[in-house]
Amino acid sequence: MPVEFLGIGGTNDGSETRPRSGAVFDKDYTLRLARAHEDFGWDRVLFAYGSSGPDPAQAAAYVATKLDKLQILLAHRPNVSYPTFAAKTFATLDRLSDGRLTVHFITGGSDHEQQREGDYLTKDERYSRTREYIQIVKRAWTSEESFDHEGEHYRFADFVLDALPVQQPRPGVSFGGSSPAAYAAGGAEADIFCLWGEPLAQTAEQIESVKAAAKAAGRTDVPRIQVAFRPIIAPTEELAWEKAYRTVDAIKARTGGGKQLTRRHSLTNPENTGSRRLLAVAAEGERFDRALWTPTAAATGGAGNSNALVGTPETVAQALLDYYDLGVDILSARGYDMLGDTIDFGRHVIPIVREEVAKRDVAKAASAREVRAVDG
């Protein structure tokens, strides 16, 4: 099966290891980073959402008008707009980008962060709302006739989009989470289910949970699986590990005294299941499998995509292929020097993975021909 690479559509050069050098929305840096992804073999970039950050839809639109090939993954929280309005925004962006949009729906793992923008629903209520929201957006994208809706969270009458998306039947839907409620909602509605990088055994368990949820929802297909990592690469193993320890020291220097690394995440007591899972893995040990390293997650309180893959490009590529062999076909990576690491990863890691995936596909095709010949 094909493999895809997702990077980050950052709007400034700040990261866990250093504060930004300019504005929170630096147009020149945003475009330079996006162009580096396009030039060095990445498939798409994520424009993330935060209550205090730039509007990701506008940042994505800016990049879409400047670049021709790079695909866009737009993060969106259902609490910030009505689903009919959101469906219109997404359809317009899909038109603007000539069909390069996928939407990542975020339910929200932190009550505090959600409440910053007036969302006081409980976590279970948020998952219920997200599921209904996605269903409405999908119908709006695909319906040529007006329709009414009366659900638990939304009610409207006689809505229809005049400007439908370019993609047919609709843009893709991405979803993430690690709780039973997340598996249920994403398993039912998502085209892509996103996980944070955990050891291979735990990742395999999560994939099975997503598949089971899809089956329970009556689907005959299953979501594609995406897993996210923080690559730390260097020409030799020794240099890679030196870089890794420098990286975690820099993170700790920024979080000295137990400070929050971001405005929306606690270092010691995260609310969301995904972060708690990352901290539990880190408590079990620092190194897992071929290259997974947990101190970066521990230092950030399991904040989002935070487990690292450490080693030479060849080592990191083989580690990614281990996840591919589990059934992961979208590999998300984001370095701590976003621009430099985007270029290095694209130049040195992506070609190895693509070449090995192509070899696997050839071998599978040959094996399938042999089986058909025997059966025939």
Side-chain angles (χ1 to χ4, degrees):
M1 60 184 175
V3 64
E4 296 182 7
F5 287 91
L6 170 71
I8 186 68
T11 59
N12 60 72
D13 64 356
S15 77
E16 296 92 332
T17 60
R18 63 185 185 189
R20 67 177 186 264
S21 62
V24 65
F25 184 24
D26 182 332
K27 290 197 302 181
D28 291 340
Y29 182 85
T30 299
L31 183 57
R32 190 159 66 248
L33 180 61
R35 182 169 285 124
H37 283 90
E38 184 170 91
D39 289 346
F40 287 92
W42 299 74
D43 296 286
R44 61 169 60 88
V45 293
L46 166 67
F47 286 90
Y49 191 94
S51 61
S52 61
D55 178 5
Q58 295 189 56
Y62 171 68
V63 167
T65 62
K66 302 293 184 180
L67 302 178
D68 298 323
K69 296 183 297 182
L70 190 66
Q71 298 178 54
I72 292 163
L73 180 59
L74 175 66
H76 179 78
R77 286 185 186 164
N79 62 292
V80 298
S81 67
Y82 211 74
T84 50
F85 176 83
K88 180 164 48 181
T89 299
F90 304 147
T92 303
L93 184 52
D94 197 54
R95 286 275 162 188
L96 188 65
S97 64
D98 296 319
R100 288 180 280 151
L101 177 69
T102 300
V103 181
H104 180 65
F105 291 90
I106 302 173
T107 299
S110 164
D111 290 346
H112 185 202
E113 170 67 3
Q114 295 299 122
Q115 289 165 9
R116 289 179 187 276
E117 294 184 291
D119 184 8
Y120 285 85
L121 295 186
T122 66
K123 187 175 181 180
D124 285 346
E125 289 170 337
R126 292 200 297 268
Y127 274 112
S128 171
R129 177 183 60 193
T130 299
R131 190 166 178 175
E132 184 178 342
Y133 196 99
I134 293 172
Q135 291 168 349
I136 293 168
V137 169
K138 284 180 178 178
R139 187 171 182 186
W141 280 341
T142 57
S143 178
E144 295 183 358
E145 302 292 333
S146 62
F147 65 97
D148 303 337
H149 178 85
E150 186 165 350
E152 181 182 358
H153 302 281
Y154 301 102
R155 179 185 179 188
F156 57 85
D158 198 34
F159 179 77
V160 66
L161 276 177
D162 288 331
L164 293 171
V166 170
Q167 296 178 77
Q168 294 297 317
R170 57 173 175 77
V173 168
S174 173
F175 189 91
S178 297
S179 66
Y183 298 142
E189 301 296 339
D191 302 302
I192 299 168
F193 198 100
C194 307
L195 303 170
W196 291 333
E198 295 185 12
L200 291 165
Q202 285 93 323
T203 300
E205 291 171 357
Q206 287 196 283
I207 292 172
E208 290 306 311
S209 295
V210 173
K211 290 180 178 179
K215 183 177 180 180
R219 292 179 61 167
T220 56
D221 64 338
V222 295
R224 299 172 65 194
I225 302 296
Q226 172 186 304
V227 178
F229 303 97
R230 306 302 294 269
I232 300 175
I233 61 173
T236 68
E237 295 291 331
E238 181 181 8
L239 289 174
W241 284 104
E242 289 177 1
K243 182 177 179 181
Y245 285 109
R246 288 198 307 272
T247 297
V248 82
D249 286 345
I251 294 171
K252 290 177 179 179
R254 289 204 66 200
T255 58
K259 294 182 297 183
Q260 287 189 190
L261 191 62
T262 72
R263 293 185 181 182
R264 59 181 184 272
H265 188 84
S266 167
L267 284 174
T268 57
N269 189 32
E271 296 176 31
N272 61 307
T273 302
S275 292
R276 292 200 299 267
R277 286 179 64 101
L278 294 185
L279 292 179
V281 171
E284 293 176 10
E286 291 192 356
R287 297 176 68 167
F288 294 84
D289 304 320
R290 194 187 299 266
L292 191 73
W293 195 55
T294 66
T296 47
T300 61
N305 171 19
S306 52
N307 268 339
L309 292 177
V310 182
T312 64
E314 293 78 9
T315 296
V316 170
Q318 291 302 321
L320 292 169
L321 287 162
D322 291 338
Y323 288 89
Y324 175 84
D325 290 337
L326 288 181
V328 177
D329 66 345
I330 303 176
L331 300 169
S332 174
R334 173 164 59 98
Y336 292 95
D337 171 9
M338 287 193 293
L339 181 59
D341 289 340
T342 292
I343 294 169
D344 287 346
F345 188 89
R347 179 180 285 148
H348 301 296
V349 178
I350 289 178
I352 297 174
V353 176
R354 291 200 191 280
E355 181 180 357
E356 290 300 319
V357 166
K359 290 178 182 178
R360 283 163 165 74
D361 289 345
V362 169
K364 288 178 183 176
S367 178
R369 287 195 298 270
E370 290 176 3
V371 169
R372 288 195 299 269
V374 171
D375 292 344

